[in-house]
Amino acid sequence: MIVLIIARPQWFGRRKYGGWGVSIKTWQGAVYLACVFLLLVGIQLLPLNTTTRMYVTGAWLAFMFLDMFDVMWKVKRDEREYLHEAIAERNAAWAMMPVLVIGVFIELISSSLQGKPHVDPFILLALLAGVLAKSVTNYRLEREN
């Protein structure tokens, strides 16, 4: 299988402030992201029916996700940066978990009062994925030590 990757890891650095992903490090990274955005806008301007536009946009976004995931995986970090990133990720998880849990309870109570109990499955999936990731990580780390 041939994988076409366009972006280069040296064009980007680890995003330290304002979210996850990568930040632009060189002019090539800026040009790459500008081209990605312009192509996305261009796809929307094509005279396509809605279904075709949706599939073409979805394919383009899937490609971009894979391309940037490859870059994020390959961005060089030293030992100190790995540690800082691990601590930041842990703190982000600790901040998000109570908000998600409270949101689930508010949504469940609110919808139950209307007689139609419902909770957004994506929020539940996010919570379950977090618990699963933590459990698998702890199991693996304990077995390695």
Side-chain angles (χ1 to χ4, degrees):
M1 181 173 131
I2 298 174
V3 178
L4 178 63
I5 301 298
I6 297 172
R8 302 286 176 252
Q10 58 268 26
W11 297 347
F12 300 93
R14 180 178 73 86
R15 178 172 284 182
K16 297 176 187 177
Y17 313 103
W20 288 268
V22 293
S23 60
I24 298 170
K25 191 170 157 184
T26 66
W27 67 268
Q28 292 96 331
V31 169
Y32 172 81
L33 289 179
C35 290
V36 164
F37 179 72
L38 290 174
L39 280 169
L40 188 59
V41 169
I43 290 170
Q44 304 313 307
L45 297 175
L46 290 174
L48 303 170
N49 65 44
T50 305
T51 304
T52 305
R53 180 177 291 114
M54 183 178 69
Y55 285 124
V56 172
T57 301
W60 178 247
L61 291 174
F63 168 75
M64 293 315 314
F65 174 78
L66 291 173
D67 201 32
M68 290 312 297
F69 185 77
D70 180 67
V71 168
M72 288 187 287
W73 189 262
K74 293 177 180 175
V75 167
K76 300 287 186 230
R77 295 178 296 255
D78 62 22
E79 188 175 316
R80 181 183 55 86
E81 287 176 314
Y82 274 111
L83 178 61
H84 288 190
E85 188 172 31
I87 293 169
E89 293 292 338
R90 180 207 58 204
N91 291 345
W94 274 102
M96 288 186 289
M97 290 303 287
V99 173
L100 287 171
V101 169
I102 291 169
V104 165
F105 282 122
I106 289 173
E107 187 175 15
L108 186 58
I109 290 168
S110 174
S111 62
S112 294
L113 289 174
Q114 297 172 2
K116 299 179 229 170
H118 176 269
V119 175
D120 187 337
F122 287 103
I123 295 175
L124 289 177
L125 188 60
L127 289 168
L128 181 62
V131 168
L132 185 62
K134 181 177 179 179
S135 298
V136 168
T137 301
N138 281 325
Y139 178 78
R140 186 174 146 229
L141 291 172
E142 284 177 3
R143 289 190 47 100
E144 287 177 1
N145 290 333

